[in-house]
Amino acid sequence: MRALIGYLVCLIVAATIAFTFSAHKPVSDETAQLRPDRLQINGMLYLDQRVVAVGERGNILLSDDQGGTWQSAAVTPQRDLTLTALVALDDKSLLAVGHDGWILRSVDAGANWAEVRYDADVAEPLLGIWNAGGKQVLAFGSFGKFYQSNDDGRTWQASALEVDSAHLNGMDGGADGRRMLVGEQGLVMRSDDAGRTWHKLPAFYNGSLFGVVRLSPDRWVTYGMRGHVFVSQNFGQTWAPVNVGNQLPLYGHVLLPNGGGLLIVGAGSSMVRLDGNGHLLNATRLSGLGTLTSAVLVNARRLLVGGERGVFQGTDGSVAALGQ
């Protein structure tokens, strides 16, 4: 069961193991340019005027017209391994992580990527990466893997966390040193000293948590399996459940501008919106998009969602309304 959970978490979006590990035809550059809907997307970000998306077989896609058209980035070497997440360090510097401890770095806003770390011997996936500010970056993943870079992602050192080899799935924090890290079996770790020390919070849920979001120094949201969403108003001391009305797993999120709250996406094309206080505004499902893993707002108004069927540009009123 531990291995099964691990594989599901690795791809974040997998509805079934069969889809995740079934053979996929190699995707050509031409296909990536013209048909981003044929690639499984696991993470996206908006950088100035560019959208960057990462996904299966080492594919990284770029759009400079708000998701209208896409082109492939250059990845060296291209190992055809699943990429799971990415982060921006500044307007030009980006990092992406994936299977086999793979870490890629770009210094030209995602056009070209170079390998800075790869560990085929361990062959375990990294599932997330977080910019801690300054030159510090943190990467984390399966079986408690936790790495730190103090030079903008150029070199990495392993760090030990007392998490009993649990998979680490999501992280967030702020400049005041308050951070949270979540993972499988309801794991929530908290630090109030910029990660120098971590404390495991008492369990309040026994399923996997896939993401955590800081809304304010005291207000935090975490979400995961079976549609579970929890809100804390006291930096994780206590958590209250939010009833979203279904049991579909939730895998990714985007913060909305001007304190507008949070949009969470997941399986079954589900979308859950919370306000800035963590209260439920609505929960809905799109049509025909399958499992969603990520979302991004372009120019603070246009919503793009990504997942097992690629990238979708929301043009209908129901999607656009969620991004307001």
Side-chain angles (χ1 to χ4, degrees), residues 130 132 136 171-180 190-198 214 217 220 235:
W130 186 69
Q136 187 183 86
M171 186 175 183
D172 203 0
D176 59 0
R178 289 189 168 193
R179 301 176 181 177
M180 280 196 196
R190 183 179 74 173
S191 174
D192 59 8
D193 58 7
R196 287 185 289 275
T197 59
W198 290 89
R214 171 180 162 137
W220 297 71
F235 188 36

PDB file of all heavy atoms in Angstrom, residues 130 132 136 171-180 190-198 214 217 220 235:
ATOM      1  N   TRP A 130      10.248  24.882  -3.556  1.00  0.00           N
ATOM      2  CA  TRP A 130       9.758  26.132  -2.967  1.00  0.00           C
ATOM      3  C   TRP A 130      10.905  27.126  -2.820  1.00  0.00           C
ATOM      4  O   TRP A 130      12.001  26.759  -2.384  1.00  0.00           O
ATOM      5  CB  TRP A 130       9.134  25.859  -1.597  1.00  0.00           C
ATOM      6  CG  TRP A 130       8.481  27.053  -0.989  1.00  0.00           C
ATOM      7  CD1 TRP A 130       7.339  27.673  -1.403  1.00  0.00           C
ATOM      8  CD2 TRP A 130       8.931  27.769   0.168  1.00  0.00           C
ATOM      9  NE1 TRP A 130       7.050  28.736  -0.588  1.00  0.00           N
ATOM     10  CE2 TRP A 130       8.009  28.814   0.385  1.00  0.00           C
ATOM     11  CE3 TRP A 130      10.014  27.623   1.036  1.00  0.00           C
ATOM     12  CZ2 TRP A 130       8.144  29.723   1.434  1.00  0.00           C
ATOM     13  CZ3 TRP A 130      10.146  28.522   2.077  1.00  0.00           C
ATOM     14  CH2 TRP A 130       9.223  29.557   2.281  1.00  0.00           C
ATOM     15  N   ALA A 132      12.577  29.900  -0.928  1.00  0.00           N
ATOM     16  CA  ALA A 132      12.584  30.384   0.445  1.00  0.00           C
ATOM     17  C   ALA A 132      13.056  31.826   0.556  1.00  0.00           C
ATOM     18  O   ALA A 132      13.072  32.393   1.648  1.00  0.00           O
ATOM     19  CB  ALA A 132      13.469  29.486   1.315  1.00  0.00           C
ATOM     20  N   GLN A 136      18.114  30.814  -1.117  1.00  0.00           N
ATOM     21  CA  GLN A 136      17.743  29.498  -0.598  1.00  0.00           C
ATOM     22  C   GLN A 136      16.521  28.941  -1.319  1.00  0.00           C
ATOM     23  O   GLN A 136      15.512  29.622  -1.500  1.00  0.00           O
ATOM     24  CB  GLN A 136      17.436  29.573   0.901  1.00  0.00           C
ATOM     25  CG  GLN A 136      17.205  28.217   1.538  1.00  0.00           C
ATOM     26  CD  GLN A 136      16.838  28.321   2.996  1.00  0.00           C
ATOM     27  OE1 GLN A 136      15.676  28.491   3.343  1.00  0.00           O
ATOM     28  NE2 GLN A 136      17.839  28.226   3.865  1.00  0.00           N
ATOM     29  N   MET A 171       4.445  22.748   0.222  1.00  0.00           N
ATOM     30  CA  MET A 171       5.096  23.633   1.174  1.00  0.00           C
ATOM     31  C   MET A 171       4.736  25.079   0.862  1.00  0.00           C
ATOM     32  O   MET A 171       4.506  25.447  -0.289  1.00  0.00           O
ATOM     33  CB  MET A 171       6.623  23.453   1.101  1.00  0.00           C
ATOM     34  CG  MET A 171       7.395  24.223   2.133  1.00  0.00           C
ATOM     35  SD  MET A 171       9.171  23.841   2.049  1.00  0.00           S
ATOM     36  CE  MET A 171       9.765  24.835   3.424  1.00  0.00           C
ATOM     37  N   ASP A 172       4.664  25.902   1.915  1.00  0.00           N
ATOM     38  CA  ASP A 172       4.471  27.337   1.737  1.00  0.00           C
ATOM     39  C   ASP A 172       5.027  28.043   2.965  1.00  0.00           C
ATOM     40  O   ASP A 172       5.347  27.424   3.978  1.00  0.00           O
ATOM     41  CB  ASP A 172       2.990  27.671   1.540  1.00  0.00           C
ATOM     42  CG  ASP A 172       2.784  28.993   0.806  1.00  0.00           C
ATOM     43  OD1 ASP A 172       3.787  29.646   0.443  1.00  0.00           O
ATOM     44  OD2 ASP A 172       1.622  29.388   0.600  1.00  0.00           O
ATOM     45  N   GLY A 173       5.153  29.355   2.855  1.00  0.00           N
ATOM     46  CA  GLY A 173       5.689  30.130   3.962  1.00  0.00           C
ATOM     47  C   GLY A 173       5.820  31.589   3.607  1.00  0.00           C
ATOM     48  O   GLY A 173       5.385  32.028   2.535  1.00  0.00           O
ATOM     49  N   GLY A 174       6.411  32.350   4.519  1.00  0.00           N
ATOM     50  CA  GLY A 174       6.560  33.782   4.306  1.00  0.00           C
ATOM     51  C   GLY A 174       7.885  34.302   4.807  1.00  0.00           C
ATOM     52  O   GLY A 174       8.688  33.568   5.401  1.00  0.00           O
ATOM     53  N   ALA A 175       8.106  35.598   4.603  1.00  0.00           N
ATOM     54  CA  ALA A 175       9.373  36.227   4.979  1.00  0.00           C
ATOM     55  C   ALA A 175       9.559  36.306   6.489  1.00  0.00           C
ATOM     56  O   ALA A 175      10.678  36.529   6.964  1.00  0.00           O
ATOM     57  CB  ALA A 175       9.450  37.624   4.366  1.00  0.00           C
ATOM     58  N   ASP A 176       8.487  36.112   7.256  1.00  0.00           N
ATOM     59  CA  ASP A 176       8.592  36.154   8.708  1.00  0.00           C
ATOM     60  C   ASP A 176       9.124  34.857   9.302  1.00  0.00           C
ATOM     61  O   ASP A 176       9.244  34.729  10.527  1.00  0.00           O
ATOM     62  CB  ASP A 176       7.239  36.487   9.326  1.00  0.00           C
ATOM     63  CG  ASP A 176       6.153  35.472   8.964  1.00  0.00           C
ATOM     64  OD1 ASP A 176       6.452  34.508   8.224  1.00  0.00           O
ATOM     65  OD2 ASP A 176       5.002  35.650   9.413  1.00  0.00           O
ATOM     66  N   GLY A 177       9.440  33.873   8.459  1.00  0.00           N
ATOM     67  CA  GLY A 177       9.998  32.614   8.942  1.00  0.00           C
ATOM     68  C   GLY A 177       8.984  31.535   9.220  1.00  0.00           C
ATOM     69  O   GLY A 177       9.357  30.393   9.512  1.00  0.00           O
ATOM     70  N   ARG A 178       7.703  31.851   9.097  1.00  0.00           N
ATOM     71  CA  ARG A 178       6.676  30.834   9.314  1.00  0.00           C
ATOM     72  C   ARG A 178       6.503  29.993   8.052  1.00  0.00           C
ATOM     73  O   ARG A 178       6.232  30.521   6.976  1.00  0.00           O
ATOM     74  CB  ARG A 178       5.349  31.484   9.695  1.00  0.00           C
ATOM     75  CG  ARG A 178       5.356  32.081  11.097  1.00  0.00           C
ATOM     76  CD  ARG A 178       3.969  32.528  11.516  1.00  0.00           C
ATOM     77  NE  ARG A 178       3.916  32.837  12.933  1.00  0.00           N
ATOM     78  CZ  ARG A 178       2.797  33.007  13.632  1.00  0.00           C
ATOM     79  NH1 ARG A 178       1.621  32.917  13.015  1.00  0.00           N
ATOM     80  NH2 ARG A 178       2.837  33.289  14.915  1.00  0.00           N
ATOM     81  N   ARG A 179       6.652  28.667   8.210  1.00  0.00           N
ATOM     82  CA  ARG A 179       6.551  27.742   7.092  1.00  0.00           C
ATOM     83  C   ARG A 179       5.758  26.513   7.497  1.00  0.00           C
ATOM     84  O   ARG A 179       5.714  26.156   8.679  1.00  0.00           O
ATOM     85  CB  ARG A 179       7.940  27.291   6.627  1.00  0.00           C
ATOM     86  CG  ARG A 179       8.845  28.424   6.173  1.00  0.00           C
ATOM     87  CD  ARG A 179      10.233  27.913   5.810  1.00  0.00           C
ATOM     88  NE  ARG A 179      11.114  29.006   5.404  1.00  0.00           N
ATOM     89  CZ  ARG A 179      12.390  28.853   5.097  1.00  0.00           C
ATOM     90  NH1 ARG A 179      12.939  27.637   5.152  1.00  0.00           N
ATOM     91  NH2 ARG A 179      13.118  29.881   4.731  1.00  0.00           N
ATOM     92  N   MET A 180       5.131  25.885   6.502  1.00  0.00           N
ATOM     93  CA  MET A 180       4.481  24.599   6.713  1.00  0.00           C
ATOM     94  C   MET A 180       4.823  23.668   5.562  1.00  0.00           C
ATOM     95  O   MET A 180       4.983  24.094   4.419  1.00  0.00           O
ATOM     96  CB  MET A 180       2.959  24.741   6.825  1.00  0.00           C
ATOM     97  CG  MET A 180       2.480  25.204   8.182  1.00  0.00           C
ATOM     98  SD  MET A 180       0.707  24.899   8.375  1.00  0.00           S
ATOM     99  CE  MET A 180       0.390  25.970   9.789  1.00  0.00           C
ATOM    100  N   ARG A 190       5.642  22.174  10.935  1.00  0.00           N
ATOM    101  CA  ARG A 190       5.603  23.627  11.073  1.00  0.00           C
ATOM    102  C   ARG A 190       6.944  24.148  11.562  1.00  0.00           C
ATOM    103  O   ARG A 190       7.591  23.534  12.403  1.00  0.00           O
ATOM    104  CB  ARG A 190       4.497  24.024  12.061  1.00  0.00           C
ATOM    105  CG  ARG A 190       4.321  25.517  12.239  1.00  0.00           C
ATOM    106  CD  ARG A 190       3.190  25.818  13.216  1.00  0.00           C
ATOM    107  NE  ARG A 190       3.591  25.541  14.597  1.00  0.00           N
ATOM    108  CZ  ARG A 190       2.852  25.837  15.671  1.00  0.00           C
ATOM    109  NH1 ARG A 190       1.658  26.372  15.510  1.00  0.00           N
ATOM    110  NH2 ARG A 190       3.286  25.556  16.875  1.00  0.00           N
ATOM    111  N   SER A 191       7.363  25.281  11.001  1.00  0.00           N
ATOM    112  CA  SER A 191       8.562  25.962  11.464  1.00  0.00           C
ATOM    113  C   SER A 191       8.247  27.442  11.631  1.00  0.00           C
ATOM    114  O   SER A 191       7.566  28.041  10.794  1.00  0.00           O
ATOM    115  CB  SER A 191       9.710  25.801  10.460  1.00  0.00           C
ATOM    116  OG  SER A 191      10.835  26.575  10.842  1.00  0.00           O
ATOM    117  N   ASP A 192       8.739  28.029  12.707  1.00  0.00           N
ATOM    118  CA  ASP A 192       8.574  29.475  12.907  1.00  0.00           C
ATOM    119  C   ASP A 192       9.919  30.193  12.911  1.00  0.00           C
ATOM    120  O   ASP A 192      10.000  31.372  13.258  1.00  0.00           O
ATOM    121  CB  ASP A 192       7.809  29.779  14.195  1.00  0.00           C
ATOM    122  CG  ASP A 192       8.483  29.218  15.442  1.00  0.00           C
ATOM    123  OD1 ASP A 192       9.625  28.722  15.339  1.00  0.00           O
ATOM    124  OD2 ASP A 192       7.858  29.257  16.512  1.00  0.00           O
ATOM    125  N   ASP A 193      10.978  29.484  12.484  1.00  0.00           N
ATOM    126  CA  ASP A 193      12.313  30.087  12.471  1.00  0.00           C
ATOM    127  C   ASP A 193      13.002  29.850  11.124  1.00  0.00           C
ATOM    128  O   ASP A 193      14.188  29.536  11.060  1.00  0.00           O
ATOM    129  CB  ASP A 193      13.166  29.560  13.622  1.00  0.00           C
ATOM    130  CG  ASP A 193      13.317  28.042  13.610  1.00  0.00           C
ATOM    131  OD1 ASP A 193      12.859  27.394  12.631  1.00  0.00           O
ATOM    132  OD2 ASP A 193      13.896  27.494  14.568  1.00  0.00           O
ATOM    133  N   ALA A 194      12.220  29.990  10.048  1.00  0.00           N
ATOM    134  CA  ALA A 194      12.740  29.875   8.678  1.00  0.00           C
ATOM    135  C   ALA A 194      13.369  28.516   8.401  1.00  0.00           C
ATOM    136  O   ALA A 194      14.327  28.413   7.633  1.00  0.00           O
ATOM    137  CB  ALA A 194      13.734  30.991   8.382  1.00  0.00           C
ATOM    138  N   GLY A 195      12.813  27.463   9.015  1.00  0.00           N
ATOM    139  CA  GLY A 195      13.242  26.115   8.713  1.00  0.00           C
ATOM    140  C   GLY A 195      14.439  25.606   9.494  1.00  0.00           C
ATOM    141  O   GLY A 195      14.898  24.488   9.243  1.00  0.00           O
ATOM    142  N   ARG A 196      14.938  26.375  10.435  1.00  0.00           N
ATOM    143  CA  ARG A 196      16.050  25.864  11.254  1.00  0.00           C
ATOM    144  C   ARG A 196      15.584  24.693  12.111  1.00  0.00           C
ATOM    145  O   ARG A 196      16.334  23.739  12.328  1.00  0.00           O
ATOM    146  CB  ARG A 196      16.632  26.991  12.111  1.00  0.00           C
ATOM    147  CG  ARG A 196      17.458  27.996  11.304  1.00  0.00           C
ATOM    148  CD  ARG A 196      18.117  29.028  12.198  1.00  0.00           C
ATOM    149  NE  ARG A 196      17.132  29.951  12.749  1.00  0.00           N
ATOM    150  CZ  ARG A 196      16.693  31.047  12.124  1.00  0.00           C
ATOM    151  NH1 ARG A 196      17.121  31.339  10.916  1.00  0.00           N
ATOM    152  NH2 ARG A 196      15.809  31.845  12.695  1.00  0.00           N
ATOM    153  N   THR A 197      14.363  24.772  12.609  1.00  0.00           N
ATOM    154  CA  THR A 197      13.771  23.659  13.349  1.00  0.00           C
ATOM    155  C   THR A 197      12.355  23.427  12.831  1.00  0.00           C
ATOM    156  O   THR A 197      11.663  24.361  12.422  1.00  0.00           O
ATOM    157  CB  THR A 197      13.717  23.936  14.859  1.00  0.00           C
ATOM    158  OG1 THR A 197      12.952  25.125  15.112  1.00  0.00           O
ATOM    159  CG2 THR A 197      15.121  24.118  15.422  1.00  0.00           C
ATOM    160  N   TRP A 198      11.941  22.153  12.826  1.00  0.00           N
ATOM    161  CA  TRP A 198      10.617  21.765  12.384  1.00  0.00           C
ATOM    162  C   TRP A 198       9.920  20.969  13.476  1.00  0.00           C
ATOM    163  O   TRP A 198      10.563  20.184  14.184  1.00  0.00           O
ATOM    164  CB  TRP A 198      10.685  20.916  11.122  1.00  0.00           C
ATOM    165  CG  TRP A 198      11.105  21.664   9.900  1.00  0.00           C
ATOM    166  CD1 TRP A 198      12.379  21.860   9.438  1.00  0.00           C
ATOM    167  CD2 TRP A 198      10.244  22.335   8.971  1.00  0.00           C
ATOM    168  NE1 TRP A 198      12.360  22.603   8.283  1.00  0.00           N
ATOM    169  CE2 TRP A 198      11.069  22.903   7.967  1.00  0.00           C
ATOM    170  CE3 TRP A 198       8.856  22.499   8.880  1.00  0.00           C
ATOM    171  CZ2 TRP A 198      10.532  23.623   6.893  1.00  0.00           C
ATOM    172  CZ3 TRP A 198       8.334  23.212   7.814  1.00  0.00           C
ATOM    173  CH2 TRP A 198       9.166  23.764   6.842  1.00  0.00           C
ATOM    174  N   ARG A 214      -0.486  29.594   2.486  1.00  0.00           N
ATOM    175  CA  ARG A 214      -0.515  30.636   3.502  1.00  0.00           C
ATOM    176  C   ARG A 214      -1.378  31.797   2.997  1.00  0.00           C
ATOM    177  O   ARG A 214      -1.062  32.410   1.983  1.00  0.00           O
ATOM    178  CB  ARG A 214       0.911  31.108   3.791  1.00  0.00           C
ATOM    179  CG  ARG A 214       0.994  32.350   4.671  1.00  0.00           C
ATOM    180  CD  ARG A 214       2.452  32.713   4.876  1.00  0.00           C
ATOM    181  NE  ARG A 214       2.604  34.087   5.326  1.00  0.00           N
ATOM    182  CZ  ARG A 214       3.420  34.485   6.285  1.00  0.00           C
ATOM    183  NH1 ARG A 214       4.180  33.610   6.895  1.00  0.00           N
ATOM    184  NH2 ARG A 214       3.505  35.751   6.623  1.00  0.00           N
ATOM    185  N   PRO A 217      -0.176  35.368   8.095  1.00  0.00           N
ATOM    186  CA  PRO A 217       0.716  34.699   9.049  1.00  0.00           C
ATOM    187  C   PRO A 217       0.018  33.659   9.919  1.00  0.00           C
ATOM    188  O   PRO A 217       0.624  32.648  10.284  1.00  0.00           O
ATOM    189  CB  PRO A 217       1.249  35.864   9.887  1.00  0.00           C
ATOM    190  CG  PRO A 217       1.239  37.031   8.943  1.00  0.00           C
ATOM    191  CD  PRO A 217       0.004  36.837   8.118  1.00  0.00           C
ATOM    192  N   TRP A 220      -4.033  29.556   7.367  1.00  0.00           N
ATOM    193  CA  TRP A 220      -3.455  28.599   6.426  1.00  0.00           C
ATOM    194  C   TRP A 220      -4.532  27.634   5.948  1.00  0.00           C
ATOM    195  O   TRP A 220      -5.487  27.350   6.678  1.00  0.00           O
ATOM    196  CB  TRP A 220      -2.326  27.804   7.089  1.00  0.00           C
ATOM    197  CG  TRP A 220      -1.166  28.656   7.517  1.00  0.00           C
ATOM    198  CD1 TRP A 220      -1.152  29.558   8.551  1.00  0.00           C
ATOM    199  CD2 TRP A 220       0.132  28.698   6.924  1.00  0.00           C
ATOM    200  NE1 TRP A 220       0.084  30.160   8.638  1.00  0.00           N
ATOM    201  CE2 TRP A 220       0.890  29.657   7.653  1.00  0.00           C
ATOM    202  CE3 TRP A 220       0.733  28.025   5.872  1.00  0.00           C
ATOM    203  CZ2 TRP A 220       2.220  29.937   7.353  1.00  0.00           C
ATOM    204  CZ3 TRP A 220       2.069  28.305   5.571  1.00  0.00           C
ATOM    205  CH2 TRP A 220       2.789  29.254   6.303  1.00  0.00           C
ATOM    206  N   PHE A 235      -2.103  29.439  12.831  1.00  0.00           N
ATOM    207  CA  PHE A 235      -0.825  28.869  12.411  1.00  0.00           C
ATOM    208  C   PHE A 235      -0.722  27.381  12.728  1.00  0.00           C
ATOM    209  O   PHE A 235       0.293  26.883  13.183  1.00  0.00           O
ATOM    210  CB  PHE A 235       0.337  29.637  13.046  1.00  0.00           C
ATOM    211  CG  PHE A 235       1.705  29.258  12.520  1.00  0.00           C
ATOM    212  CD1 PHE A 235       1.907  28.934  11.185  1.00  0.00           C
ATOM    213  CD2 PHE A 235       2.812  29.248  13.363  1.00  0.00           C
ATOM    214  CE1 PHE A 235       3.168  28.599  10.707  1.00  0.00           C
ATOM    215  CE2 PHE A 235       4.080  28.915  12.898  1.00  0.00           C
ATOM    216  CZ  PHE A 235       4.249  28.575  11.567  1.00  0.00           C
TER     217      PHE A 235
END
